[in-house]
Each structure stands twice: as structure tokens, then as C-alpha cells.
Amino acid sequence: MAGRKAALKAVDWAAFAERVPPNQRAMFNALKTRNDALTARLAALPEKPPAIDWAFYKANVAKAGMVDEFQKKFSALKVPEPVDTQSAKIDAQEKEAAKSTAEYIQASKARIAQYEQQLQKLKNMIPFEQMTFEDLSEAFPETKLNKEKYPFWPHKPIADL
Amino acid sequence: RALCPLVPSAPAALRALPPPVAVGVLHTTRPLHTTQQSLAPVPPLPEKGGEVRHGLIPEEFFQFLYPKTGVTGPYMLGTGLLLYLLSKEIYVVNHETAAAACILTVIIYGIKKFGADVAAFADKLNEEKVASALAMKNEAIQTLQTAIEEEKKEQWRVEGRSYLFDAKRNNIAMLLETNYRERLLMVYNEVKKRLDYQVAMQNLKRQKEQDHMIQWVEKNVVQSITPQQQKESIAKCILDLKALSKSAHAAV
């Protein structure tokens, strides 16, 4: 069972806010408001309730033994700590997030590699002034004329001219 | 210029010749596919052709004759050849000569006057095509670079997910703590309420007993005053009053 005084980890809201993408801003704001509300509530409550003045009550209450009984039961009373049902879910969420993040980063890196490759190809291209039509078809395969399908000039449907 | 990469690589003898001749000779002696690197791309063609004089005769001819005949040599040769052809009637002057002269004049005049403009116009057409292709290429490069940056930025963003979970755990901890404190407070309040109730009840009872006692005593006392006693007490009172009034008179 987690100790009662589980220290609250300081969350750097500014840095957090930086990393939120614009389409998730609303959710972030909701989370922040909740957090603020809870902090306010927590700060309003005292850490320990004030102590009961047993001597006064013992002096004033006539019923014999009542105050003693109360006192005994009160000191023996253990207020149960609320059970933490959500932390496990949070941990599970975190693991899942870690996994999906790893996948996303993987895919992202693959995309970056692809882009880099294309970038290199474009950068290493010979300048257009020195290209022949063959060179152009090599560099940009989409410009290649399909001479089998359209054997007659202009080798592409007239509408595409 | 496209010429520059070729000329320095030419042998020293070629470089000794003046540039137009060097280029002209290079045209004829370009090393194409002679070495083992035969699959390398062919170097680009030079921008301008070899130089010519009078639009017809290549410069190399004049340079060729220069050592022997000086500057005027080729012209003397040309003039002599022309006169020979005319005088010996190897070339016969007929009506076609006149036609040729007129046509050539017009053609040469036209080229000299409009040649440059037409060339510029044709170059411009080509320039536009090349420029648009280049613009597309640059745009593509730009798009790719921004895409790469965006991806990197997304990766950086994703690294911040720990903040989210910390915040959530904080929320949970705060909720639990709040709940616990509320419970403690509730216990205290309830016990206090009960004890206070007992004390208050006692106080109230005592109060009521006192009041009742006082009332009962008063009632009994009033009851026990018999008429006889009443008369006696009234007489006593009057005597006391008289005595008092006397002493009061005296005081005044």
C-alpha cells in the first residue's frame, strides 16, 4: 500500500504546455483545471483535525464512563486510507503509451529516412540545362513516355498535354 | 562557363594556342568513352561553337596561314581566288547571280538586325521551362526539409508524455489525500458533536431542574402564607414604614 505521504511530483506545466500539439490543447486545459481544483481543495483542508479536549469533557459530562469509553474508542479508531484503484490503470496506460510511442517513433524515423533519401536524390540531380529527355525520365520516372501504350506521338493522351 | 573545366585538362600544346582555336581543336579531339570510365556521363557540350569570321570561315584557317602570310594572307588568297573564278568564267555571272545577291542581302540584313532578338526570345522560352522545372525541384526540396523537421518536432513532443502521467498520478494522490483528510475531519466532527450534545443536554437538564425547583419553592411559599400571617406581616410592614419615614424625616 503506498504510504500516505506519497510525495507529489512537481510537474513543470510550462514545459508540458510546450509539448502539447495544438489539436490536443483542449484536453490539456481540462487536465490543468482539474489539477488546479484539486490542489485548491487539498490546500483548504488541514492536515490533522484539531485534538479533542478530553479533560474538559471528563469534568463536565455526568454520565460515568461515557467520556472514557469515547476516548478509548477514538484513540483505537483507525481511519482507513482510501484505496487506490486507478494507479494500476495509469501504469497500464503508461506502458501502452510507451509502446505506441516506440512504434510511432519507429514509423517516424522510417519516414525521415525516406525523405532524406529523396532529398539526396534531388540534391544530387544533374542540372536541368545538362539533361537529355532520357536523363529526365530517369530522374523523374513519372515523366517517362509510355511508348507501348501510346505508340504515336505525343505518347500520352491528348487531354494530358 | 562550360569551357573552363575542359581547357585546363587539355594538353599544354593546345593551351598555347589562342582560346578560340583551342576550343575548336577540342571539339574535334574530345575524349569520349576512351578511358575505362566509359559509363560516366558525357561532359556537357560547350555553350558556344568555334569562332568564325564573316559567318563562314573558321578562325583556325586564318591562324593556320598567319605564320606564313601574316594578317592579310587569307584575304589575299580569297580575293585572288574570287578574281580567278570570275575572270576565267569558271563561275558565270547570270540572272541567278543577281537573284542570289538580292536574297543574300536581305537575309544578311534581316539576321543582323533581328538575329539577337530572336535568339533572346528563343532562349527565354527555354529559360522559362527550365525555371519552372527548377522551381518545382526547389519546392520539393523545401517540402521534404519541412517534413523532416516536422517529424523531428513530433518526436520531441512525444518525449513529453511523462509529464502527462506525472500529472495524472499527482491528481490521484491529491484526491486520495483529500479524501483521507476529509474522513479524519468527519470522525472528529462526529465525536465532538456527540460529546457536546451530552454536555449540552446536561446543562439543559440542570437548568430546567433549577427553574422547576425555584418555581415549586415559590409556589409553596406563597401557599403557606395563611391569611393570619398575611395580616401580621402587613402590620409589621406598616410599622417598619413608619419607623423608616420617621428616620427619613429626621434625616431630611
Side-chain angles (χ1 to χ4, degrees), chain B residues 52 60 110 142 149 202 204 216 221 243 248-249 251:
Chain B
V52 283
E60 289 84 18
Q142 208 51 37
E149 296 215 356
Q202 274 175 225
L204 181 70
W216 186 80
V221 166
H249 272 300

Side-chain angles (χ1 to χ4, degrees), chain A residues 4-5 8-9 11 15-16 18-21 31 35 38-39 41-42 45-47 49-50 52 54 57 60-62 66 70 74 77 79-82 84 86 90-91 93-94 97 101 104-105 108-109 111-112 115-116 118-119 122-123 125 128-129, chain B residues 41 44 127 130 133-135 137 140-142 144-145 147-148 151-152 154-185 187-188 191-192 194-196 198-199 202:
Chain A
R4 197 191 132 182
K5 299 297 177 197
L8 293 175
K9 202 156 162 202
V11 172
F16 189 7
E18 265 180 11
R19 300 210 191 214
V20 170
L31 180 70
N35 196 314
L38 282 174
T39 324
R41 247 176 85 189
L42 188 66
L45 288 173
E47 195 181 317
I52 298 185
W54 295 110
Y57 286 116
N60 289 343
V61 175
M66 183 173 180
F70 269 37
F74 186 75
L77 179 67
V79 179
E81 286 179 27
D84 184 358
Q86 304 295 329
I90 299 280
D91 288 336
Q93 269 185 5
E94 194 172 7
T101 315
Y104 179 77
I105 291 190
S108 178
K109 287 211 168 100
R111 277 194 291 265
I112 288 187
Y115 294 152
E116 290 274 346
Q118 275 189 315
L119 200 62
L122 280 178
K123 283 201 170 135
M125 214 171 69
F128 288 106
E129 292 89 3
Chain B
E127 268 296 314
V130 167
L134 203 64
K137 171 181 158 190
I141 287 183
Q142 208 51 37
L144 283 173
Q145 276 173 340
I148 289 181
E151 291 283 336
K152 291 210 169 103
E154 286 300 313
Q155 285 186 4
W156 173 77
R157 273 203 220 269
V158 154
E159 280 169 22
R161 70 185 182 280
S162 58
Y163 288 125
L164 173 66
F165 292 110
D166 285 342
K168 282 198 184 181
R169 273 192 273 257
N170 273 6
N171 275 7
I172 290 183
M174 281 199 286
L175 257 181
L176 292 176
E177 179 70 16
T178 313
N179 210 337
Y180 184 64
R181 286 189 195 177
E182 273 176 5
R183 288 183 190 183
L184 284 177
L185 206 61
V187 164
Y188 163 79
V191 171
K192 193 146 192 328
R194 279 162 180 67
L195 288 172
D196 283 343
Q198 290 296 326
V199 171
Q202 274 175 225

Side-chain angles (χ1 to χ4, degrees), chain B residues 59-109:
Chain B
E59 190 66 37
E60 289 84 18
F61 183 67
F62 290 86
Q63 298 303 327
F64 175 64
L65 289 179
Y66 179 76
K68 291 286 186 207
T69 59
V71 185
T72 51
Y75 291 106
M76 294 310 297
L77 179 63
T79 317
L81 247 164
L82 200 61
L83 285 175
Y84 167 68
L85 289 175
L86 281 170
S87 69
K88 287 284 190 178
E89 295 262 319
I90 296 174
Y91 176 71
V92 175
V93 177
N94 51 13
H95 60 286
E96 299 207 359
T97 312
C102 298
I103 291 172
L104 279 175
T105 311
V106 171
I107 288 177
I108 290 173
Y109 173 76

Side-chain angles (χ1 to χ4, degrees), chain B residues 204-220:
Chain B
L204 181 70
K205 203 158 162 214
R206 194 159 180 77
Q207 183 90 4
K208 286 281 171 231
E209 281 173 357
Q210 271 181 341
D211 287 343
H212 188 257
M213 183 75 93
I214 290 171
Q215 250 187 343
W216 186 80
V217 165
E218 275 183 13
K219 198 168 83 170
N220 275 354

